[in-house]
């Protein structure tokens, strides 16, 4: 409510520390490990149906704020 310009989404820092492309019998996936600013590791997978959306957009060592 109120002025929408004063609303800010919280930001999250992460760094991609490992990205692996798998070509498994069950389908292609991109497997990733991220680390946040506290050092917590986060595993993420991109399934075959979404690979084209994410392929090439993340690089190992990249740091982002989202």
């Amino acid at each position: 409510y109120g002025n929408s310009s004063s609303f800010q989404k919280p930001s999250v820092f992460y760094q991609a520390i490992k990205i692996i492309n798998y070509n498994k019998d069950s389908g292609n996936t991109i497997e990733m490990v991220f680390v946040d600013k506290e050092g917590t590791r986060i595993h993420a997978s991109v399934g075959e149906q979404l690979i084209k959306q994410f392929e090439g957009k993340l690089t190992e060592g990249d740091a982002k704020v989202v």
Side-chain angles (χ1 to χ4, degrees):
Y1 305 43
N3 185 345
S4 63
S5 64
S6 65
F7 176 75
Q8 293 182 338
K9 292 181 183 179
S11 60
V12 177
F13 166 85
Y14 71 87
Q15 181 176 14
I17 57 173
K18 192 71 176 170
I19 299 175
I20 302 170
N21 292 312
Y22 282 114
N23 187 353
K24 300 179 186 177
D25 293 335
S26 59
N28 296 320
T29 63
I30 300 174
E31 303 293 324
M32 299 163 281
V33 177
F34 298 102
V35 63
D36 66 14
K37 66 182 178 183
E38 285 83 28
T40 303
R41 291 179 182 224
I42 304 155
H43 174 261
S45 297
V46 176
E48 188 169 21
Q49 65 277 18
L50 296 174
I51 284 179
K52 288 185 181 183
Q53 272 185 275
F54 290 93
E55 201 168 42
K57 292 187 178 179
L58 294 170
T59 304
E60 274 185 37
D62 277 359
K64 308 264 185 191
V65 176
V66 293

